[in-house]
Amino acid sequence: MSQDSPASERRYHPVAKALHWLVALLVALQFGIAWTMPDIGPHTKLGRLISLHLTVGALIGLAVLVRISWRLRHSAPGAIATEPRWLRLGARMTHGTLYVLLLIVPLLGWAAASARGWQVSLLPRLILPALLPRGSKSGFLAGDVHAFLAYALLAIVALHIAAALYHRIILHDQVLARMLPRKASTLGTPDST
Ligand code: HEM
Ligand code: HEM
């Protein structure tokens, strides 16, 4: 999109912002748990931290489903007129990849947990069905791919954060501000609406 949008469309909707920051927070927490939980081998028992990893992962999956279904019905703010085309295109590709990984990573984790015979609960009494039978070989493979893609997600999130900072520090535009809470986004920005 090369045209600037009306001022009313220059910010993300509060629901989009809330879901964005909720998912970002949960993903950060999830890596914290993944890096502190015991290494997972063939005979690892389901301890407290691993169990927390499964529940937080299931919450991420749910939040991402809500986010995507909301996003499909509400478009994002239009491009900022000064934004270079290559950057806009790069942002689209990055955001698309983030959504895909945010869906696939929890699904593979769920499959891996099922293969180990671990129950995944969203809430203490809300247990999700197993995706694969206990002992399934493809479930163990899913575990390896899960861990690999989780690091791919981390790498793309790092690129995404670098792009947000590039907008703010080098281009001095409103791209970061329109994803921040309204109060924070008006602090020190040149032409907030
Ligand atoms: C975006 C969400 C998620 C992220 C970022 C994530 C991240 C990770 C990471 C980094 C590891 C590797 C830990 C290590 O190096 O030892 C891991 C392992 C694992 N995660 Fe997740 N995870 C997510 C969601 C889930 C979900 C939803 C489940 C299950 C319901 C799950 C189940 C597992 C299991 C079973 C393993 C061990 C895999 C294996 O080696 O077989 N994860 N996760
Ligand atoms: C796990 C962490 C994160 C994930 C998974 C994530 C994911 C996403 C996704 C999927 C979008 C596209 C929204 C849409 O149009 O539908 C987006 C937008 C955005 N994110 Fe993040 N994000 C994360 C962290 C961050 C952080 C830490 C920052 C700030 C430093 C940030 C700044 C932004 C901005 C400014 C936009 C709007 C970009 C634009 O309008 O072109 N994000 N994010």
Side-chain angles (χ1 to χ4, degrees):
M1 214 187 286
S2 58
Q3 260 190 330
D4 205 359
S5 347
S8 60
E9 286 174 33
R10 284 199 199 137
R11 282 169 193 285
Y12 277 85
H13 189 279
V15 173
K17 289 185 198 176
L19 288 168
H20 174 270
W21 292 111
L22 172 71
V23 171
L25 243 149
L26 287 174
V27 169
L29 174 69
Q30 185 70 326
F31 274 104
I33 299 168
W35 289 331
T36 10
M37 69 191 190
D39 283 342
I40 294 173
H43 306 295
T44 309
K45 295 252 177 328
L46 178 61
R48 212 170 51 88
L49 272 178
I50 299 177
S51 184
L52 188 63
H53 182 81
L54 307 190
T55 298
V56 171
L59 284 174
I60 292 175
L62 179 68
V64 169
L65 282 180
V66 172
R67 187 168 173 200
I68 290 178
S69 64
W70 197 91
R71 177 67 170 82
L72 289 174
R73 278 175 275 130
H74 302 82
S75 53
I80 284 181
T82 52
E83 188 175 17
R85 259 189 112 83
W86 65 268
L87 199 53
R88 191 69 206 157
L89 192 71
R92 278 207 193 137
M93 286 167 61
T94 310
H95 296 166
T97 312
L98 282 172
Y99 279 129
V100 170
L101 287 176
L102 285 170
L103 280 177
I104 291 182
V105 169
L107 265 179
L108 289 170
W110 184 4
S114 308
R116 292 177 187 280
W118 293 342
Q119 276 187 341
V120 180
S121 45
L122 199 52
L123 295 170
R125 283 171 183 237
L126 184 52
I127 294 165
L128 301 181
L131 275 190
L132 291 174
R134 191 184 192 135
S136 153
K137 283 214 169 89
S138 34
F140 288 101
L141 176 66
D144 292 341
V145 183
H146 169 74
F148 176 79
L149 289 184
Y151 286 104
L153 172 68
L154 190 62
I156 295 178
V157 165
L159 180 72
H160 175 66
I161 295 174
L165 296 178
Y166 179 76
H167 276 285
R168 177 79 176 193
I169 297 165
I170 311 285
L171 299 179
H172 302 290
D173 64 22
Q174 293 293 306
V175 167
L176 176 56
R178 65 191 191 170
M179 186 48 104
L180 295 177
R182 193 169 268 270
K183 266 193 183 157
S185 70
T186 52
L187 293 177
T189 52
D191 66 347
S192 342
T193 49

